Amino acid sequence: MTTASDGGDRSITAESLRRDFGALHAVDDVDLEVPGGQILGFLGPNGAGKSTLVKILTTILNATGGRATVAGYDVAQQGGKVRGSIGVALQDVGLDPLMTARELLMLQSELFGTPRDEARKTAERLLVTVGLDDVDPRKRTGAYSGGMKRRLDLALALVHDPRILFLDEPTTGLDPASRAAIWEEVRRLNDELGMTIFLTTQ
């Protein structure tokens, strides 16, 4: 498994990237280059195409035109390799409300091929990382606050130690304390692991 500290390609590039929805040009000839180990804040108002761009770079949507690479892989031709190199936390947090945080983290780890014992250790480590280790382990995520869900979503994006992390408006709707905790964690991931972080914000 490739980790953020392995020294692999951690760059993001786009050349004339475009995504149309009929007559609407949601992403219109975007060029960008993010060197490995950097944090890029992609700013813009609602409807500016930020989330659409993230979805193209993370292989969720196909581009209408142009080209993009993530971690050295072409997003259109090498989607599987891109997905194996990135972590993604989208604007809409999608957590199974009937599962606990540990169950979700272990499931996510095992889906990436991690043995069960190691998946359990990964879950515990990440709960500490995002400050959820003191939550009642029996508590279902449906009972989590918005801030807790955001932090768990970040942990889920980190289970396979990605080289590159995409965060789509990670602090939307959070209280000031939760917002500060997310920004602190973003800085730590970049400083300590050299992780490239692409985030959108207003």
Side-chain angles (χ1 to χ4, degrees), residues 100-103 124 133-140 144:
T100 68
R102 284 169 176 79
E103 288 170 344
E124 296 302 328
D133 52 308
D134 58 349
V135 176
D136 184 339
R138 299 166 296 180
K139 188 170 186 173
R140 309 293 174 182
Y144 276 24

Side-chain angles (χ1 to χ4, degrees), residues 4 8 21 34 55 65 67 74 82 84 92 94 106 112 114 131 138 145 176-177 184 197:
F21 295 97
V34 184
K55 288 177 180 177
R67 180 175 182 270
D74 187 292
V82 171
D92 297 320
M106 287 184 64
F112 277 98
T114 306
R138 299 166 296 180
S145 68
E184 182 179 350
I197 300 173

Side-chain angles (χ1 to χ4, degrees), residues 153-165:
D153 199 38
L154 174 58
L156 287 165
L158 298 173
V159 294
H160 60 303
D161 294 321
R163 294 183 232 171
I164 300 171
L165 178 63

